[in-house]
Amino acid sequence: MLPRVLSLGVRRGPLTRRPGTLRGGFSLGKVVDDRWYCGSGVRPTSGCVPFRTRNRAPHWQDSGSAWGRGYKYWEEKLSEIKKKIQSVLPGTSLHPLYDSSHLPPDHSDVVIVGGGVLGLSVAYWLKKLEKQRGALRVLVVERDLTYSQASSALSLGGIHQQFSLPENIHLSLFSASFLRNINEHLAVVDAPPLDLQFNPLGYLWLASEKDAAAMENNVKVQRQEGAKVCLMSPDQLRNKFPWINTEGVALASYGMEDEGWFDPWCLLQGLRRKVQSMGVLFCQGEVTRFVSSSDRMLTKNQKEVKLKRIYEVHVKMDNSVEYQPVECALVINAAGAWSAQIAALAGIGKGPPDTLQGTKLPVEPRKRYVYVWHCPQGPGLESPLVADTSGTYFRREGLGSNYLGGRSPTEEEEPDPENLEVDHDFFQDKVWPHLAQRVPAFETLKVQNAWAGYYDYNTFDQNGVVGPHPLVVNMFFATGFSGHGLQQAPGVGRAVAEMILEGRFQTINLDSFLFSRFYLGEKIQEDNII
């Protein structure tokens, strides 16, 4: 599939820079004699700049007078300009007039929009599975390389297989194997090994009477797909975890293997370090436009549809009003909570209602709070991550009787996603009462810290979007996982790479995660989302 995409996808448009120009859009002038420099595209472009050489300095030059100080200042400035001009004349070493190392390349086979764990995983597997080393040029465009608001870095770092859908179970099983052998995958020569600080203490899901039958069915599916999960009665629950109040609990499911939590920042930086060693390029900037070509075709029902192909990406540079064009063959939309905006730039969803052209990517940012509290009498070191019947969850953090937790709000409680400010009243009113009811020791907890992060929330069915768009044929998705993208990133990255390089999913069949389900109305609802 890739050779066909590459041959159709890259179109070299008219060059915007003249021969001999440096990156940045200007060309060099020339020194006419030892007194004049004529510009050629350097702003201001008109006229020539006079030079006054040292042997022509007037006799009245005096650093102590106003005239002397002014003259000396401009002589130094003009001397600097002259040195820059002379540095690019034949026979001299090249010293660019400014540093262009932060700019993206003129072209890249693949442009990945979003440098979080999902985008980096796609980059890793593309380079890992390429047929010939160095065959693919991959560029990752990330708005904030500090990842201060990245969902990956702000996550709780949990991983489990207790999903209701086989696809999600397989993705997390694949990721568990990847994380268990992390240094076989992400080792870099002369770099220290990664320590994910994996805590294999499992997930403990609690179900009320009305949800007990669904939990039994889910566990049956999980076991069929290879997950190690057991069911526990309230009596068994009290015996194993005596700190739990089982009031209102009819059944529990407990992950016995490959579940727990890890350091998400370590995984993020490990992937970034690895893909850089594999030749992946990075650029800090924001994608602001796609330039596309289009063709029209008829469907089986003789309806005309327009197919689009992106051949150029415009990247607005950080702290600048300018953009840099990057020619490309493929675009990966891994922009997380903002992936719908990136899709709209490509024209996705900008068509008549109830048509494939008018079907939007149903992913939006949803703000979620994580609270940190201290409780010396709380659950001990063997405590798993607990998901309560109320939707409240918590896990232990470190060895100092600290805990992390929170609760997803209802639709009516959804906070404004415009900022990442924390609502401390939400903990007081909506989280703490449930914590104290389930674990009586939490009556005396003391909140120490809190932060907020974003879910890339799929409003359609809370599941990921993976693979190509049916009409913008060279845009591929890796987004919309609604809170479980971090733990499934290794499997999703491989799936996208397989679709690009082989034309189909091979390791895990994710056909049910394709974009077309939004138009067809085929929901694949995931029940176990916290």
Coordinates of all heavy atoms in Angstrom, one line a residue, residues 18 25-29 37-46:
R18 N 14.0 31.0 -4.3 CA 14.9 31.0 -5.5 C 16.1 30.2 -5.3 O 16.5 29.9 -4.1 CB 15.3 32.4 -5.9 CG 14.1 33.2 -6.4 CD 14.5 34.7 -6.6 NE 14.4 35.3 -5.3 CZ 14.8 36.6 -5.1 NH1 15.2 37.3 -6.1 NH2 14.7 37.1 -3.9
G25 N 13.3 31.8 3.3 CA 12.6 32.5 2.3 C 13.4 33.7 1.8 O 12.7 34.6 1.3
F26 N 14.7 33.8 1.8 CA 15.4 35.0 1.3 C 16.6 34.5 0.6 O 17.1 33.4 0.8 CB 15.7 36.0 2.3 CG 16.6 35.5 3.4 CD1 18.0 35.4 3.3 CD2 16.1 35.1 4.6 CE1 18.8 34.9 4.3 CE2 16.9 34.6 5.6 CZ 18.2 34.5 5.5
S27 N 17.2 35.3 -0.3 CA 18.4 35.0 -1.0 C 19.4 36.0 -0.7 O 19.1 37.1 -0.2 CB 18.1 34.9 -2.5 OG 17.6 36.1 -3.0
L28 N 20.7 35.7 -1.0 CA 21.8 36.6 -0.7 C 22.0 37.6 -1.7 O 21.8 37.4 -2.9 CB 23.1 35.7 -0.5 CG 23.0 34.6 0.6 CD1 24.2 33.8 0.5 CD2 22.8 35.3 1.9
G29 N 22.5 38.8 -1.2 CA 22.9 39.8 -2.1 C 24.3 39.7 -2.5 O 24.9 38.7 -2.4
Y37 N 26.8 47.2 -0.6 CA 26.2 45.9 -0.6 C 24.8 46.1 -1.1 O 24.0 46.8 -0.6 CB 26.1 45.3 0.8 CG 25.2 44.1 0.9 CD1 25.5 42.9 0.3 CD2 24.0 44.2 1.6 CE1 24.7 41.9 0.3 CE2 23.1 43.1 1.6 CZ 23.5 42.0 1.0 OH 22.7 40.9 1.0
C38 N 24.5 45.4 -2.2 CA 23.1 45.4 -2.8 C 22.3 44.2 -2.4 O 22.8 43.1 -2.6 CB 23.2 45.4 -4.3 SG 23.9 47.0 -5.0
G39 N 21.2 44.5 -1.7 CA 20.4 43.4 -1.2 C 19.6 42.7 -2.3 O 19.4 43.2 -3.4
S40 N 19.2 41.4 -2.0 CA 18.4 40.7 -3.0 C 17.4 39.9 -2.2 O 17.5 38.7 -1.9 CB 19.3 39.7 -3.8 OG 18.5 38.9 -4.7
G41 N 16.3 40.5 -1.7 CA 15.3 39.8 -1.0 C 15.4 40.0 0.5 O 14.5 39.7 1.2
V42 N 16.5 40.6 1.0 CA 16.6 40.9 2.4 C 15.8 42.2 2.7 O 16.0 43.2 2.0 CB 18.1 41.1 2.8 CG1 18.2 41.4 4.3 CG2 18.9 39.9 2.4
R43 N 14.9 42.1 3.7 CA 14.1 43.3 4.0 C 14.9 44.3 4.8 O 15.6 43.9 5.7 CB 12.9 42.9 4.8 CG 11.9 42.0 4.0 CD 10.7 41.7 4.9 NE 9.7 40.8 4.2 CZ 9.8 39.5 4.2 NH1 10.7 38.9 4.8 NH2 8.9 38.8 3.5
P44 N 14.9 45.6 4.4 CA 14.2 46.2 3.2 C 14.9 45.8 2.0 O 16.2 45.8 1.9 CB 14.2 47.7 3.5 CG 15.4 47.9 4.4 CD 15.6 46.7 5.2
T45 N 14.2 45.6 0.9 CA 14.8 45.1 -0.3 C 15.3 46.2 -1.3 O 16.0 45.9 -2.2 CB 13.7 44.3 -1.1 OG1 12.6 45.1 -1.4 CG2 13.3 43.1 -0.3
S46 N 14.9 47.4 -1.0 CA 15.3 48.5 -2.0 C 16.6 49.1 -1.5 O 16.9 49.2 -0.4 CB 14.2 49.5 -2.0 OG 14.0 50.1 -0.8

